[in-house]
Amino acid sequence: MTAVIETQRLGKRYGRRWALSDCTLDIPAGRVVGLVGPNGAGKTTLLNLAVGQLAPTSGSIEVLGGRPAGGPAQLAKVGFVAQETPTYAGLSVADHLRLGARLNPGWDAALASDRIERLGLDPARRAGKLSGGQRAQLALTLGIAKRPELLILDEPVAALDPLARREFLQSLMEAAAEHELSVVLSSHLVADLERVCDYLIVLVDSRVQVAGEVEELLATHHLLTGARRDPATLPADQHVISASHTGRQTTLLVRTEAPIHDPAWTISQVSLEDLILAYLSQSADTTRGHRPVLEVHK
Amino acid sequence: MIWLTWRQFRTQAATVFAALAALAVVLAVTGPSLAHDYAAGIAACTAHGGCSTFVDQFFNDHQTLYFGLVAIVMFVPAVIGLFWGAPLITRELEAGTHRLVWNQSVTRTRWLATKLGLIGLAATAAAGLASLAVTWWSSPIDTAAADRFPRLSPLLFDARGIAPLGYAAFAFTLGVTVGILIRRTLPAMAITLTVFAVVQIAMPLAIRPHLIPPVRLTTTITATNVNGFLISPGRPVHVTVGVSEPGAWIISNQTINAAGHVVSGVPVSLSTGPCVPAAPPRPPFSQACFTKISQLGYQQQVAYQPAGRFWAFQWYETAIFLVLALALAGSCFWWTRRRLF
């Protein structure tokens, strides 16, 4: 399977702060990839590196087998909807489509005007007068109608109300399915990603915590509930992601390839949201310098 | 890319070119009658005498408009740097639209090349139009004022010929470069204006006089060549002389003593002897005074650029500013590719 984004120990530093460090990823084609993490985790940095808006400080990145923004052909293959979905406030919707047509040899004019019509946008309206949701849709239209192989979106729905958010994601999914696009989408809203993604990357504090197919992640993570015990006594192939204890009970989220046979545990399915939250809070603990093995909640 | 450049630039272009077109129309309407008045006046005074009075009168009648036009030609490059150059990239950075446009199938280099190329051409065209129209309209007055304000003198030189083209190209690329470095429109405009003003002042004071070695002349001070005195009691008399070539740009005008050293003035007694100043309207010093100065061994040393070098200076000046503009454009490409995001 070919990779849409392949990074080797990729890092980006601003002054003395690493916005992204030691990031090694291999994202397969044909997926809708969710990039999740808290604000400031390095999501935007990673995506900007992938579209060539930034140059890496260390390591390497290849997108669809080429250097990001390495030339017109590379630019044509990757669509990008940047954070806050920027558009030219003074230019009309029609001007934006014209811009797309002039600047992209692979421009699909029929697709673009169809989408604009379906969205009910007035072509003569200036982009500055559009609502946030309409502007995001216009930016998405520009991204899709250049007919890229990979579409990268940086927090496209962050500023939208729930209804506009759902509509946006829905039209993104339709386009992805129709044009067999690979999509990489960042968000700090777990619920959005749960709905649309089939591949997940969790990025916290400039590091990748976990990356993989959603199905596989769900199949290899288990929620174990049982009588109170020290997580250190678990078999070596069971990695504890999070642990919580009450006076008599212990609840663990573990990752393991092998089935769990220990009858002491009640094993239950973990939701994607719980899984993501576990990784987010895990790294919050590690950054504090110590990770309590046994934490008692009474 | 050309379409987008034009679409984003057309309002600014229309504003500047509409103003210049209005100016050109006004000059085109009034220019011929001005030239006619001057030619008729010269013809009349050649026949009946009194040409110097006519020339003074003619210059005085038109000098407000004349210097106003000089100011306009000098402002055009500054306006271009401020309103076309500085916002060119800061506007995109402030609105975040660089992230939209740099992810179309056009490289940043081509994007910038189109913008710098097209708007740079428009900038030089605007300055060229202003300079051409004003140079044409002002030519009778330039002739009339050749003694007082030679074309080579700092103020007029900047507003004549082809030099404004170089200034416009420089101001525009300066604005773009400052914009890339500062990233915000208003501070970029302020810095562009400051730097451009400093360069425009430093150029005629420090650099232009030395582009071609000046003609040096050592002459006795006579009643005919003397241009002015500065008489202050108890101090040597400060003297300046003129050169016989009309339209020369005098760069230095110093008095030297018998030993050949530069002195601040001629130390002659103003209370007794031949150099007691006469009361106006007579010239302050008599022929005897000049003879006395000459006997004491004082001479005047003048360095000047003859009027005939005007076009040589224009070409040098334009070339220097075009080279500066190219260097700035090169740095724009470097910064856009390397450092911006």
Side-chain angles (χ1 to χ4, degrees):
Chain A
M1 193 174 284
T2 51
V4 290
I5 299 180
E6 202 177 351
T7 67
Q8 289 289 335
R9 305 187 60 88
L10 181 67
K12 174 70 190 176
R13 194 182 55 200
Y14 293 107
R16 286 165 60 189
R17 199 181 72 81
W18 285 89
L20 187 73
S21 58
D22 204 16
C23 170
T24 300
L25 281 174
D26 190 352
I27 302 175
R31 303 302 148 91
V32 176
V33 180
L35 179 61
V36 67
N39 290 327
K43 302 190 296 287
T44 297
T45 304
L46 176 59
L47 296 185
N48 278 331
L49 285 164
V51 296
Q53 200 84 17
L54 291 178
T57 312
S58 65
S60 67
I61 178 164
E62 273 197 0
V63 175
L64 300 167
R67 190 168 63 84
Q74 177 72 21
L75 284 166
K77 285 196 285 188
V78 182
F80 183 49
V81 177
Q83 203 164 15
E84 285 143 18
T85 58
T87 51
Y88 287 104
L91 264 57
S92 69
V93 171
D95 281 335
H96 278 86
L97 297 191
R98 209 161 160 198
L99 178 158
R102 298 275 175 157
L103 300 189
N104 297 286
W107 184 255
D108 190 335
L111 168 71
S113 48
D114 272 4
R115 263 189 64 88
I116 293 302
E117 201 176 318
R118 223 164 351 113
L119 292 164
L121 293 182
D122 176 4
R125 203 170 171 82
R126 284 177 173 218
K129 306 237 170 186
L130 297 177
S131 71
Q134 291 172 321
R135 226 180 42 232
Q137 290 283 13
L138 176 59
L140 178 63
T141 304
L142 280 173
I144 293 172
K146 78 187 257 197
R147 299 303 298 271
E149 292 173 33
L150 168 65
L151 183 62
I152 295 177
L153 303 98
D154 188 6
E155 301 263 10
V157 294
L160 305 187
D161 62 64
L163 187 64
R165 195 183 297 164
R166 199 175 68 189
E167 281 172 359
F168 182 91
L169 290 174
Q170 209 156 20
S171 62
L172 172 65
M173 286 308 105
E174 283 165 16
E178 198 179 330
H179 306 298
E180 295 173 341
L181 276 173
S182 301
V183 176
V184 175
L185 169 76
S186 78
S187 180
H188 57 269
L189 300 165
V190 177
D192 287 334
L193 296 175
E194 194 166 15
R195 214 161 41 224
V196 296
C197 296
D198 49 23
Y199 194 99
L200 192 76
I201 300 168
V202 180
L203 195 64
V204 184
D205 289 326
S206 82
R207 285 173 187 280
V208 175
Q209 302 297 327
V210 66
E213 307 276 345
V214 169
E215 275 180 31
E216 207 178 297
L217 291 178
L218 292 178
T220 53
H221 287 74
H222 308 278
L223 204 58
L224 308 183
T225 317
R228 179 166 181 147
R229 68 188 260 196
D230 188 343
T233 61
L234 286 177
D237 66 340
Q238 295 180 5
H239 305 281
V240 180
I241 308 305
S242 75
S244 69
H245 309 273
T246 61
R248 284 157 51 192
Q249 205 181 37
T250 290
T251 307
L252 302 176
L253 180 70
V254 299
R255 188 182 76 229
T256 177
E257 305 288 327
I260 298 169
H261 297 300
D262 191 337
W265 293 116
T266 310
I267 303 169
S268 53
Q269 184 70 47
V270 62
S271 73
L272 190 63
E273 184 161 1
D274 288 340
L275 190 154
I276 293 170
L277 288 174
Y279 275 102
L280 296 187
S281 50
Q282 177 204 26
S283 54
D285 289 340
T286 40
T287 50
R288 261 183 247 125
H290 63 96
R291 212 179 123 208
V293 175
L294 208 65
E295 202 177 318
V296 179
H297 298 282
K298 289 211 168 139
Chain B
M1 199 49 236
I2 294 173
W3 173 81
L4 177 64
T5 304
W6 167 241
R7 179 66 189 78
Q8 291 183 278
F9 175 57
R10 66 184 187 187
T11 316
Q12 292 153 289
T15 313
V16 169
F17 279 102
L20 286 179
L23 176 74
V25 167
V26 171
L27 296 184
V29 169
T30 57
S33 69
L34 184 78
H36 175 263
D37 288 353
Y38 182 71
I42 288 292
C45 77
T46 316
H48 307 109
C51 270
S52 68
T53 318
F54 166 74
V55 162
D56 284 349
Q57 186 65 43
F58 184 77
F59 178 73
N60 287 338
D61 287 350
H62 298 102
Q63 64 172 339
T64 312
L65 190 52
Y66 179 70
F67 286 115
L69 290 172
V70 168
I72 286 176
V73 179
M74 291 173 76
F75 270 128
V76 168
V79 166
I80 285 171
L82 246 56
F83 294 98
W84 291 4
L88 186 74
I89 286 174
T90 55
R91 230 178 12 179
E92 305 264 355
L93 296 177
E94 280 170 342
T97 45
H98 62 297
R99 287 176 293 158
L100 173 72
V101 75
W102 289 352
N103 284 287
Q104 308 304 312
S105 315
V106 166
T107 58
R108 282 182 214 184
T109 307
R110 202 180 127 206
W111 174 82
L112 186 63
T114 314
K115 294 220 157 205
L116 287 184
L118 284 182
I119 304 177
L121 270 181
T124 47
L129 180 69
S131 173
L132 181 73
V134 170
T135 303
W136 170 77
W137 187 91
S138 306
S139 67
I141 309 176
D142 281 349
T143 317
D147 287 341
R148 272 180 287 184
F149 298 102
R151 282 197 303 175
L152 265 174
S153 63
L155 200 63
L156 278 193
F157 184 86
D158 289 2
R160 294 287 180 270
I162 55 174
L165 276 74
Y167 301 149
F170 169 72
F172 171 64
T173 47
L174 176 71
V176 178
T177 311
V178 172
I180 288 178
L181 297 179
I182 305 290
R183 292 152 167 271
R184 284 180 305 140
T185 305
L186 276 177
M189 287 168 88
I191 292 174
T192 303
L193 184 61
T194 312
V195 174
F196 184 66
V198 167
V199 169
Q200 285 295 66
I201 292 168
M203 190 70 192
L205 290 184
I207 299 165
R208 196 185 299 149
H210 311 293
L211 290 178
I212 306 174
V215 176
R216 292 181 192 279
L217 180 78
T218 306
T219 170
T220 49
I221 302 162
T222 66
T224 43
N225 72 8
V226 76
N227 218 356
F229 304 102
L230 190 64
I231 304 171
S232 39
R235 306 275 307 275
V237 178
H238 184 81
V239 183
T240 56
V241 302
V243 293
S244 55
E245 298 175 52
W249 175 29
I250 294 177
I251 292 157
S252 79
N253 211 328
Q254 296 170 312
T255 309
I256 53 170
N257 61 17
H261 298 302
V262 173
V263 293
S264 64
V266 183
V268 287
S269 169
L270 297 173
S271 48
T272 55
C275 287
V276 177
R282 295 178 53 204
F285 293 127
S286 63
Q287 187 58 50
C289 178
F290 289 108
T291 314
K292 165 94 174 160
I293 289 171
S294 190
Q295 276 166 359
L296 289 169
Y298 288 97
Q299 285 187 303
Q300 196 73 3
Q301 213 172 42
V302 186
Y304 68 97
Q305 300 286 1
R309 292 182 180 176
F310 176 77
W311 281 105
F313 273 107
Q314 282 274 330
W315 283 109
Y316 276 127
E317 183 100 350
T318 311
I320 287 170
F321 276 88
L322 286 180
V323 167
L324 285 176
L326 283 178
L328 286 171
S331 77
C332 288
F333 281 107
W334 191 85
W335 285 104
T336 320
R337 227 173 327 179
R338 290 291 184 101
R339 300 298 295 273
L340 274 184
F341 55 88

